[in-house]
Amino acid sequence: MTKPAVVLIGADKGGVGKTMVARTLLDYFAHQQVRARAFDTEVPRGTLKRFHPDVTDVVDINYVPDQMRIFDTVNSTDVSVSLIDVRAGLLSPTLRALRNIGFIEAAKKGHITFVVFHILGPTLASLDEIAETAAYLGDAKYLMVKNFISNTHFFEWDETTYVSYFKRVPDAVEITIPKLTEMATEQLELASVPFATFIANKKQSGDPASYSFVLRGYVRHWLGNVWAEYNRVGLTDIVQATGPPSHLSAGRDQS
């Protein structure tokens, strides 16, 4: 049977485009007919929920009842992927909490698929996050994302330095998210709709919209490149892996 999958998107630095990546993933899973739900940890007002209100709940990832809402239900919901957009500064604390509740160990035993999208910023301080993050990963699928969304001129690290950090995580995979033209990004913010809905010239309600033909073209081309990266790393196969029954449901031993 297909194992439930948890996809964590985060960074310890802010302003690196985590939610933008989360939005591309929700559109990608919908296109691949992989049922997904999302949790936005930007309490009390979530950014991800503004774009994907039908599948997103806003939660406080530090609040135990909200942790239960997410992780006690991964095996009882009819969706196969639970996506968590982690607020800036909370990636390491969240991974530490997952280790403490036995989630990392359950993933190691094959009861659940755990995928981490670590959004790297343009500085060496961002690389320093890798060492701290790696300490909590267990057997998670670790994807280092070089995101050009927020940085027109991405800092190019010394290759030797970068490789030394990259090698700290066995089987880590690098993904590159290209930059989207700023005018398209701005119109998407105003429209507050998923990328695929914008491309289809629809409002959140499904009614026809009047978005720029040119900007829709830029978004279509950009999103195609992003999805090509997800296809390259076999993301659909990763989240639809099969395995033993999950022990991550209420009342069961997670050890």
Side-chain angles (χ1 to χ4, degrees):
M1 60 179 294
T2 300
K3 295 185 288 184
V6 171
V7 177
L8 202 69
I9 302 141
D12 283 331
K13 293 284 287 182
V16 293
K18 296 179 300 299
T19 299
M20 196 88 163
V21 173
R23 288 159 55 195
T24 67
L25 286 166
L26 286 176
D27 274 354
Y28 178 77
F29 289 138
H31 181 74
Q32 296 292 330
Q33 298 184 319
V34 175
R35 299 197 63 183
R37 61 178 182 168
F39 295 95
D40 186 341
T41 65
E42 287 280 358
V43 290
R45 184 181 63 184
T47 302
L48 183 61
K49 186 172 179 62
R50 178 158 62 89
F51 293 94
H52 292 269
D54 294 341
V55 298
T56 306
D57 287 324
V58 179
V59 298
D60 184 345
I61 198 68
N62 291 315
Y63 186 51
V64 173
D66 280 356
Q67 292 174 356
M68 294 167 66
R69 281 176 61 192
I70 301 170
F71 300 107
D72 281 0
T73 60
V74 293
N75 199 43
S76 58
T77 181
D78 60 351
V79 301
S80 57
V81 174
S82 297
L83 181 148
I84 306 172
D85 183 7
V86 180
R87 195 178 74 199
L90 290 183
L91 178 59
S92 295
T94 298
L95 289 170
R96 183 164 56 247
L98 293 183
R99 182 191 63 185
N100 292 344
I101 66 174
F103 176 88
I104 302 293
E105 182 65 22
K108 185 176 182 179
K109 291 180 177 179
H111 298 304
I112 193 163
T113 298
F114 185 34
V115 183
V116 175
F117 279 76
H118 187 175
I119 315 301
L120 299 177
T123 65
L124 284 173
S126 184
L127 289 183
D128 287 332
E129 293 179 16
I130 295 172
E132 186 171 1
T133 301
Y136 301 111
L137 283 176
D139 287 350
K141 187 69 175 179
Y142 186 58
L143 302 172
M144 294 185 189
V145 182
K146 292 179 70 176
N147 190 8
F148 286 78
I149 284 295
S150 302
N151 302 283
T152 305
H153 302 289
F154 207 90
F155 183 84
E156 289 298 332
W157 303 293
D158 172 76
E159 186 65 20
T160 302
T161 302
Y162 178 68
V163 169
S164 70
Y165 279 92
F166 194 83
K167 286 183 177 179
R168 296 184 188 192
V169 185
D171 302 320
V173 175
E174 181 181 310
I175 285 180
T176 298
I177 303 292
K179 183 174 177 59
L180 176 62
T181 181
E182 291 177 3
M183 286 190 68
T185 302
E186 291 170 1
Q187 180 138 63
L188 281 159
E189 286 290 322
L190 291 172
S192 297
V193 296
F195 297 114
T197 304
F198 182 82
I199 292 167
N201 206 23
K202 298 288 183 66
K203 298 179 181 179
Q204 192 74 256
S205 63
D207 294 332
S210 55
Y211 308 132
S212 162
F213 175 83
V214 171
L215 296 181
R216 287 192 291 121
Y218 275 116
V219 174
R220 181 186 297 108
H221 178 74
W222 171 82
L223 191 63
N225 288 333
V226 175
W227 286 1
E229 283 286 271
Y230 298 158
N231 287 337
R232 178 180 62 82
V233 301
L235 183 58
T236 302
D237 291 337
I238 292 170
V239 299
Q240 291 189 321
T242 57
S246 172
H247 293 299
L248 287 177
S249 56
R252 293 185 182 180
D253 182 10
Q254 295 180 16
S255 63

